[in-house]
């Protein structure tokens, strides 16, 4: 992989030469995120969010392992051990707030990362595998976040566990046995809590593993870029280090400032007060909603209110919710336009904005009470979501007339700064 | 990568001979280093005893039921605490020993409170490897010096709980304590 003009790792110190011979880990790092990885020279700040997602995962793993040191995965003590962490453990409040808000920030940067990919066509050949693995990471994140939310064993934890496992109960015939199997009982209890804790501990490391595959798959064709034009020669790239380590470092600084503001000044802003009440199987909170990052999918789930022929509404909602994510696995083959970047696709670009607004509307409805007009709005927005991918995108791909593409990345960069000198003639890649 | 070198002054040497880019690089990385250290401190501190553990860091003991020659075993900071009322014979035996011949030289006076020499309060933790020595319970083996005997590796303590024989390096630890009344102490 990589381009032939990539800088070569040449250790000078005898110790580093010795290490390189026995176990070339420094070489691997150099070629992956060091000077040995040539990256298009024109990446904008939307290309920061992959690294930021990695940073968020690291924050989650570190704070999570610390939280596990003070937590008791037992329905009798779980709630009080979390309160113990908050009140008694040195800096325990910091660990828990960082973990809870870290989850939100993980989803924020991942959603930006996904919408970046949607706008700039990062899912298209030859990077389909990068996109597919990214979706796997997204699904794993959702499972991890859900199970983590159950662990404090508050009212929202309990009822969240009941509702989400209830989704599986919608499957005909085998649904209820599956729900009972998932919970290890007829309702969330100690068995559920223990297995959720075990899996919540495991899955982040699975995510880390899939991230390695995600980056591996990315580095075979190399990073995409805002023009969507492939790299043609050495003048189109700069080494990852120091150019993008510096740019990502700056982005990480902004990310940490935003994170700190929420963490230190409004740590419960994204949480639900009801989760500070211990789980009570006999009383459901009046307004039960999942965490904000599930709202768009929750809105799709609730959009189905009537049976369709023989299919019950409950099952339709569940199928639609899972389909809304599984659909994205087919995206590289639904969008058949040879032009990647939304910059050169005027029609596609408009519909990208509409999709963004549509998902925002779904998110708003998912967080709102299950009443009119939100149900009706959810129905329209959910229908549009599916129409975007299944009808609009294939049609645009067929009928849209894209704008002329720049001859190369370098040409686009020079044009941006009003320079079109003949010094840097594009050299085709070998 | 000559094609990306800018000539607009960002990388050029300033009047003081320092490259602007070098200055920014060192300043930014140093600042990140300070931030990193600041973050690591609470990550380490969270493993220290928490507030609920520290709240149990002192123990009150009622002495009224302990007869001369008797000892009780209680707990202080989650570890066994021996509270013993010495008999006059035991006090005499302890005073008879020349401290300079001991491995950990201490007199009984130094290990007890003035005027209440009969109250010997020690941790029930062998100074060798932390086993609980025998001798506080009725009928337990008190070793050849009549104090405490650790069954793990055979350390023998005398009537003032000073190490006399075996591998332990120090006398049984006397925790900080004070009398709150004639018949009650506060340990810790």
């Amino acid at each position: 992989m990589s381009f032939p003009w990539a800088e070569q790792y040449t250790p000078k110190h005898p110790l580093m030469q010795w290490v390189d011979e026995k176990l070339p880990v420094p070489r691997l790092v150099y070629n992956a995120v060091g000077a040995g990885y040539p990256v298009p020279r024109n990446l904008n700040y939307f290309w920061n969010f992959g690294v930021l997602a990695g940073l968020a995962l690291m924050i989650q793993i570190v704070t999570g392992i610390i939280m596990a040191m003070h937590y008791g995965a037992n329905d009798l003590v779980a709630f009080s051990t979390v309160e113990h962490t908050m009140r008694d453990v040195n800096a325990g409040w910091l660990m828990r707030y960082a973990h809870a808000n870290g989850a939100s920030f993980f989803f924020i940067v991942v959603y930006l990362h996904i919408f970046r990919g949607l706008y700039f066509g990062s899912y298209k050949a030859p990077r389909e595998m990068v996109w597919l693995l990214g979706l796997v990471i997204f699904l794993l994140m959702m499972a991890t976040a859900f199970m983590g939310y159950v662990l404090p064993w508050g009212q929202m934890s309990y009822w969240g566990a009941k509702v989400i496992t209830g989704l599986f109960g919608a499957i005909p015939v085998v649904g209820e046995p599956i729900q009972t199997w998932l919970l290890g009982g007829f309702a969330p209890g100690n068995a559920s809590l223990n297995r959720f804790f075990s899996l919540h501990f495991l899955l982040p490391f699975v995510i880390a593993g899939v991230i390695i595959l995600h980056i591996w798959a990315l580095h075979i064709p190399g990073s995409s870029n805002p023009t969507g034009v492939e790299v043609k020669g050495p003048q189109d790239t700069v080494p990852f280090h120091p150019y993008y380590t510096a740019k990502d470092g700056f982005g990480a600084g902004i990310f940490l400032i935003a994170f700190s503001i929420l963490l230190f000044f409004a740590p419960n802003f994204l949480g639900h007060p009801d989760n500070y009440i211990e789980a009570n199987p006999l009383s459901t909170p009046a307004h039960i909603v999942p965490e904000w990052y599930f709202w768009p999918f929750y809105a799709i789930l609730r959009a189905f209110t009537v049976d369709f022929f023989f299919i019950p509404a409950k099952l339709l909602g569940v199928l639609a919710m899972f389909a809304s994510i599984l659909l994205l696995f087919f995206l590289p083959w639904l969008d058949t336009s040879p032009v990647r970047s939304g910059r050169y696709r005027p029609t596609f670009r408009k519909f990208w904005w509409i999709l963004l607004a549509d998902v925002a509307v779904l998110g708003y409805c998912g967080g709102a009470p299950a009443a009119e007009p939100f149900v009706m709005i959810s129905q329209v927005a959910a229908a549009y979501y599916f129409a975007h991918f299944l009808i609009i995108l294939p049609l645009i791909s067929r009928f849209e007339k894209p704008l002329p593409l720049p001859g190369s990345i370098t040409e686009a960069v020079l044009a941006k700064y009003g320079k079109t000198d003949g010094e840097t003639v594009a050299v085709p890649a070998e | 990568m000559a094609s990306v070198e800018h000539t607009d002054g960002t990388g050029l040497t300033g009047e003081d001979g320092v490259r602007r880019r070098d200055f920014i690089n060192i300043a930014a990385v140093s600042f990140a280093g300070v931030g990193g250290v600041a973050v690591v401190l609470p990550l380490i501190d969270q493993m220290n005893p928490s507030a609920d553990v520290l709240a149990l860091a002192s123990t009150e003991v009622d002495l009224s039921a302990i007869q001369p020659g008797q000892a009780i075993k209680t707990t202080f900071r989650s570890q066994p605490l021996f509270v013993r009322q010495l008999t006059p014979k035991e006090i005499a035996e302890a005073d008879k020993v020349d401290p300079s011949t001991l491995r950990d030289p201490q007199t009984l006076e130094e290990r007890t409170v003035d005027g209440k020499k009969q109250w010997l309060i020690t941790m029930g933790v062998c100074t060798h490897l932390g086993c609980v020595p025998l001798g506080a319970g009725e009928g337990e083996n008190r070793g050849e010096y009549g104090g405490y005997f650790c069954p793990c590796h055979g350390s023998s303590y005398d009537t003032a709980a000073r190490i006399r024989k075996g591998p332990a390096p120090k006398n049984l630890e006397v925790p900080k304590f004070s009398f709150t009344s004639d018949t009650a102490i506060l340990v810790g």
Side-chain angles (χ1 to χ4, degrees), chain A residues 107 136-150 164 168 196 199-201 203-204 207 293-294 325:
Chain A
F107 276 98
V136 170
I137 295 169
F138 181 52
L139 287 172
L140 287 168
M141 277 176 66
M142 294 174 86
T144 311
F146 157 67
M147 288 190 280
Y149 194 61
V150 175
I164 300 297
F168 294 90
F196 284 1
L199 294 172
H200 183 71
F201 207 119
L203 289 185
I207 290 175
Y293 35 79
F294 292 137
I325 300 167

Side-chain angles (χ1 to χ4, degrees), chain A residues 66 70 84 88 90 237-238 243, chain B residues 4 45-46 48-52:
Chain A
I66 285 172
H70 304 285
H84 158 75
D88 292 341
N90 301 302
T237 66
V238 288
Y243 290 92
Chain B
V4 295
D45 188 37
Q46 53 85 22
N48 277 321
S50 55
D52 60 323

Side-chain angles (χ1 to χ4, degrees), chain A residues 162-373:
Chain A
K162 188 145 188 173
V163 170
I164 300 297
T165 55
L167 299 179
F168 294 90
I171 303 166
V173 189
V174 293
E176 274 186 42
I178 286 181
Q179 187 185 358
T180 309
W181 174 77
L182 284 171
L183 289 172
F186 306 104
N190 191 42
S192 334
L193 187 60
N194 262 303
R195 66 191 59 179
F196 284 1
F197 177 62
S198 172
L199 294 172
H200 183 71
F201 207 119
L202 167 72
L203 289 185
F205 298 99
V206 177
I207 290 175
V210 183
I211 285 175
I212 290 173
L213 299 181
H214 187 65
I215 297 172
W216 186 1
L218 171 70
H219 284 202
I220 290 171
S223 298
S224 176
N225 72 85
T227 65
V229 176
E230 288 294 310
V231 167
K232 297 206 165 95
Q235 73 285 349
D236 286 343
T237 66
V238 288
F240 188 86
H241 179 75
Y243 290 92
Y244 288 111
T245 43
K247 191 159 184 153
D248 287 335
F250 180 77
I254 302 289
F255 169 85
L256 289 173
I257 289 171
F259 181 47
S260 300
I261 289 172
L262 194 70
L263 170 57
F264 290 108
F265 296 101
N268 287 309
F269 178 70
L270 296 170
H272 303 289
D274 274 4
N275 218 28
Y276 285 104
I277 302 168
E278 191 166 3
N280 179 358
L282 301 181
S283 150
T284 309
H287 178 45
I288 170 161
V289 286
E291 291 286 84
W292 69 267
Y293 35 79
F294 292 137
W295 285 355
F297 306 103
Y298 197 58
I300 293 174
L301 171 76
R302 292 195 306 191
F304 290 82
T305 49
V306 287
D307 296 356
F308 183 74
F309 294 111
F310 56 92
I311 310 171
K314 183 180 174 186
L315 178 61
L316 278 175
V318 173
L319 289 177
M321 188 182 72
F322 284 113
S324 67
I325 300 167
L326 296 180
L327 181 63
L328 298 174
F329 280 92
F330 297 95
L331 179 58
W333 298 277
L334 288 170
D335 179 0
T336 52
S337 169
V339 177
R340 289 193 189 89
S341 172
R343 277 192 187 169
Y344 306 100
R345 302 184 63 190
T347 319
F348 169 87
R349 188 162 64 212
K350 289 190 191 91
F351 281 99
W352 180 87
W353 281 107
I354 296 173
L355 177 72
L356 187 66
D358 183 61
V359 172
V361 167
L362 279 173
Y364 184 81
C365 292
E372 292 300 350

Side-chain angles (χ1 to χ4, degrees), chain A residues 406-426:
Chain A
S408 74
I409 291 170
T410 302
E411 194 186 298
V413 172
L414 294 178
K416 189 176 168 188
Y417 294 99
K419 297 179 202 164
T420 44
D421 54 0
E423 280 173 40
T424 45
V425 179

Side-chain angles (χ1 to χ4, degrees), chain A residues 299 302-303 361 364-380:
Chain A
R302 292 195 306 191
V361 167
Y364 184 81
C365 292
E372 292 300 350
F374 303 114
V375 174
M376 199 263 286
I377 298 172
S378 305
Q379 287 167 340
V380 174

